Amino acid sequence: MISFSQVTKRYPGAGGGYEALKSATLDIQPGEMVFITGHSGAGKSTLLKLMAAIERPTSGTVLVNHQNVSTLRASALPFVRRNFGLMFQDHKLLYDRSVYQNVVLPLNIIGYNAAEAGKRVRAALDKVGLLAKEKAMPVTLSGGEQQRLAIARAIVHRPSILLADEPTANLDAAYALELGELLRSFNQVGVTVVIATHDEQLQSRLQPRCIALAQGRVTQ
Amino acid sequence: MKNWLRQHALCLAATLGRLTRTPLASLLNVGVIGVALALPLAFYVVLANVQGCARANAPTPQLSLFLKIDAPAAAAREIEARLKKHEGIAKYRFIARDQALADLKASTGLADVIASLNRNPLPDGFVVDAKENSAAVLEKLRDEFKAWPGVEHVQLDSAWARRLDATLHLGRLIVLGLAALLAFALVAVTFNTIRLQMLTQRAEIEVAKMIGATNPFVRRPFLYYGALTGLLGAAVGWGIVWGGLRLLNDRLAGLGQLYDAQLRLTHLSLPDTLSLCLFAATLGWLGAWLSASRNLAELEE
Ligand SMILES: Nc1ncnc2c1ncn2[C@@H]1O[C@H](COP(=O)(O)OP(=O)(O)OP(=O)(O)O)[C@@H](O)[C@H]1O
Ligand SMILES: [Mg+2]
């Protein structure tokens, strides 16, 4: 489903830039649940962005559903990205839009009609327990609720792959586990789930396959 | 196809929403475009009125054909036949030389002088009205008639037609120049507006792109906004000129009574109004497109 071979990502910058990922090779099968672990700055977020075709590799090949992201035309990338549901490390919620409007964004991008979109948005909000807050603005939500809003937006278009970057950061342990269960429930219905985290409690609870990163290299 | 239409309908609704969400900014924008449009528009309207008035009141320039003094009657008949068949001629009148002499005698009071002539010095002639009265057409007819057998001289007073043509031509040039300046201003205004809008919506645009929005999807609402402000600006410009004409026509009516003439300026014709709307909407769209494309290219780096 996702396959990296010898992938290097160098961010441009002073002194020849910074190599955030160094010849990483890995494979993720359909339906798997995978954790990406490693210290801060190890390259976890970079790895997720490469998977979702938000960044392009400096060298090496990234395959998503057998499509080579490195060589794809820029105009084709949006369609690769639609395979993914994304939870960003910093949420990236739209704070000037209501909960509903945040969640409906991926559906508008794909071009759903209003009735069908409404159904799906409510189903997603129901799943994360935010149905009652449909009209609220994101700033009025608690940290955990914002996290769940981000999940709702990530899954509303029923992607085949869910990428979550530090989904449990800033959540108390009990809440983090609850959220872990939610992510597992998606995996159980066949969604491939990739989570970047250093939450060890979550790891011991879900017992996923782990890909460890250190200084931009895959160590395990 | 249906999907595509729906996307556009959604987008149009969203754009209208955006216009009404920031009423002051939108109003100012539309106002600026309207005022900028009003100036060349007013000039154009005045020009169109002058043109119509001049065409209606100008003495129609006539062509006078004079035959050779000793031309036989057959030659006159031949020329008459040619005139009758000619496509470009509205009407013509034959003036026999005796008739011409009699007219001269009656109208000028030169009866004594004329009576002292021992023969008629005037030739047979035709007075011709062309269907079209532009200088170029008339001159072409003159040259054509000159080449006909039996024609001694063709006289055309085209100076007036030429002067009118030249003046109107100059007026049109000025309108074109103003319109070009205005087009630039309209594109620049929308370019800048869209740039600011995209800056304030940068977060949203970035997120949308990361979760699979195409560039056309991101661009579309801004294109609608540009076209719509252009269109509304055109409406405002039209309204300004309309108001100006009403005021002016009130005064002109009073003036006209004094001179016992009907003075009235008419507004843009319907086709002209539609062209104006199309012109403004297209330019607004263009400014938005340039701005949005540039912005998206910057994002992609
Ligand atoms: N856009 C960028 N431009 C330049 N350098 C970047 C950029 N994004 C990340 N980096 C650098 O690449 C390295 C890896 O970043 P990344 O965000 O992948 O780390 P991470 O493993 O997700 O860390 P964290 O756990 O703190 O989120 C960091 O040193 C970071 O400074
Ligand atoms: Mg990170």
Side-chain angles (χ1 to χ4, degrees):
Chain A
M1 177 143 261
I2 300 171
S3 168
F4 278 46
S5 90
Q6 302 292 325
V7 175
T8 296
K9 176 65 189 178
R10 180 195 302 275
Y11 288 112
Y18 182 82
E19 259 186 19
L21 207 62
K22 301 180 181 110
S23 54
T25 299
L26 57 94
D27 263 296
I28 294 173
Q29 304 303 322
E32 260 195 302
M33 176 181 267
V34 177
F35 273 35
I36 315 282
T37 61
H39 60 86
S40 181
K44 303 183 295 294
S45 297
T46 302
L47 194 67
L48 293 189
K49 284 180 191 156
L50 283 163
M51 288 180 182
I54 291 171
E55 296 282 358
R56 298 239 220 182
T58 312
S59 66
T61 26
V62 175
L63 295 180
V64 176
N65 292 331
H66 311 294
Q67 278 186 302
N68 188 343
V69 172
S70 348
T71 57
L72 228 46
R73 280 177 301 116
S75 60
L77 289 179
F79 302 95
V80 175
R81 291 175 189 152
R82 290 177 194 178
N83 291 311
F84 295 91
L86 295 180
M87 288 179 66
F88 300 95
Q89 191 164 3
D90 55 351
H91 300 349
K92 295 204 191 298
L93 297 174
L94 304 176
Y95 289 97
D96 58 344
R97 301 299 181 85
S98 68
V99 165
Y100 182 93
Q101 285 172 326
N102 267 278
V103 179
V104 84
L105 182 64
L107 300 181
N108 285 343
I109 287 171
I110 297 171
Y112 278 86
N113 70 41
E116 179 67 19
K119 260 188 250 159
R120 291 206 171 199
V121 169
R122 292 198 179 92
L125 286 174
D126 193 27
K127 187 125 213 167
V128 300
L130 281 179
L131 198 48
K133 303 255 179 178
E134 187 184 303
K135 296 204 175 67
M137 296 306 269
V139 275
T140 66
L141 302 181
S142 73
E145 285 171 331
Q146 292 191 17
Q147 198 74 286
R148 283 186 283 158
L149 173 56
I151 296 182
R153 187 179 66 186
I155 54 136
V156 70
H157 61 298
R158 303 190 186 151
S160 54
I161 312 165
L162 181 61
L163 303 184
D165 199 347
E166 309 279 5
T168 59
N170 313 318
L171 299 182
D172 66 52
Y175 205 95
L177 286 180
E178 197 180 308
L179 199 136
E181 288 304 327
L182 187 60
L183 293 176
R184 175 145 72 184
S185 74
F186 294 124
N187 182 239
Q188 276 162 351
V189 296
V191 179
T192 308
V193 178
V194 181
I195 300 170
T197 187
H198 25 223
D199 185 338
E200 280 163 17
Q201 228 178 338
L202 188 69
Q203 202 175 325
S204 60
R205 174 75 175 259
L206 297 181
Q207 298 288 329
R209 173 157 84 93
C210 287
I211 295 172
L213 286 178
Q215 261 90 41
R217 291 188 189 280
V218 178
T219 56
Q220 171 201 326
Chain B
M1 182 64 198
K2 218 175 127 206
N3 191 15
W4 183 84
L5 272 180
R6 189 167 52 231
Q7 289 244 10
H8 278 272
L10 262 178
C11 190
L12 185 63
T15 309
L16 284 170
R18 185 177 309 170
L19 266 171
T20 49
R21 256 203 312 281
T22 53
L24 188 66
S26 304
L27 223 62
L28 286 176
N29 250 320
V30 167
V32 164
I33 294 172
V35 170
L37 272 168
L39 182 67
L41 199 57
F43 201 87
Y44 177 83
V45 165
V46 168
L47 188 77
N49 274 287
V50 167
Q51 189 165 2
C53 180
R55 290 249 187 274
N57 297 330
T60 36
Q62 290 176 322
L63 285 152
S64 306
L65 259 80
F66 298 104
L67 274 57
K68 295 202 170 73
I69 195 120
D70 51 0
R77 275 199 299 281
E78 161 135 359
I79 286 172
E80 177 160 17
R82 281 180 187 239
L83 287 174
K84 198 171 208 157
K85 271 193 301 193
H86 202 287
E87 298 275 301
I89 288 170
K91 63 175 201 264
Y92 65 88
R93 189 156 51 89
F94 176 65
I95 298 171
R97 48 190 307 217
D98 299 337
Q99 172 75 41
L101 192 67
D103 285 353
L104 195 63
K105 216 187 264 180
S107 65
T108 55
L110 296 175
D112 296 345
V113 182
I114 290 166
S116 70
L117 296 170
N118 48 13
R119 66 185 194 96
N120 183 352
L122 299 176
D124 284 335
F126 289 91
V127 175
V128 178
D129 286 339
K131 278 190 183 143
E132 253 187 83
N133 286 324
S134 77
V137 169
L138 291 171
E139 277 164 18
K140 200 161 147 274
L141 281 177
R142 179 187 62 192
D143 295 342
E144 190 183 339
F145 295 162
K146 260 188 193 160
W148 287 359
V151 174
E152 173 79 18
H153 180 65
V154 184
Q155 192 177 318
L156 163 67
D157 183 21
S158 66
W160 201 86
R162 282 192 157 276
R163 271 197 290 270
L164 180 64
D165 273 4
T167 313
L168 291 178
H169 185 69
L170 181 69
R172 273 196 293 272
L173 267 182
I174 293 174
V175 168
L176 270 181
L178 282 173
L181 280 178
L182 157 94
F184 177 78
L186 217 159
V187 170
V189 166
T190 29
F191 186 95
N192 205 36
T193 312
I194 297 300
R195 198 179 62 85
L196 288 176
Q197 278 191 4
M198 288 186 91
L199 275 180
T200 55
Q201 292 180 40
R202 184 153 188 144
E204 182 177 349
I205 293 170
E206 275 176 354
V207 172
K209 287 219 65 175
M210 281 193 279
I211 62 180
T214 57
N215 280 349
F217 175 86
V218 174
R219 211 158 30 212
R220 195 176 300 134
F222 297 105
L223 299 185
Y224 270 97
Y225 186 91
L228 212 59
T229 41
L231 194 66
L232 291 176
V236 170
W238 193 94
I240 291 174
V241 172
W242 179 81
L245 285 181
R246 278 200 59 154
L247 285 176
L248 213 60
N249 274 336
D250 284 350
R251 297 288 142 75
L252 282 178
L255 199 67
Q257 266 171 358
L258 292 180
Y259 285 92
D260 203 19
Q262 241 224 325
L263 298 174
R264 247 191 86 76
L265 295 171
T266 53
H267 203 347
L268 279 190
S269 63
L270 186 65
D272 279 353
T273 303
L274 292 180
S275 319
L276 169 75
C277 292
L278 195 67
F279 174 75
T282 309
L283 288 174
W285 184 92
L286 178 70
W289 191 88
L290 289 173
S291 187
S293 297
R294 209 186 108 125
N295 211 292
L296 282 169
E298 277 170 11
L299 266 184
E300 230 138 78
E301 275 162 16

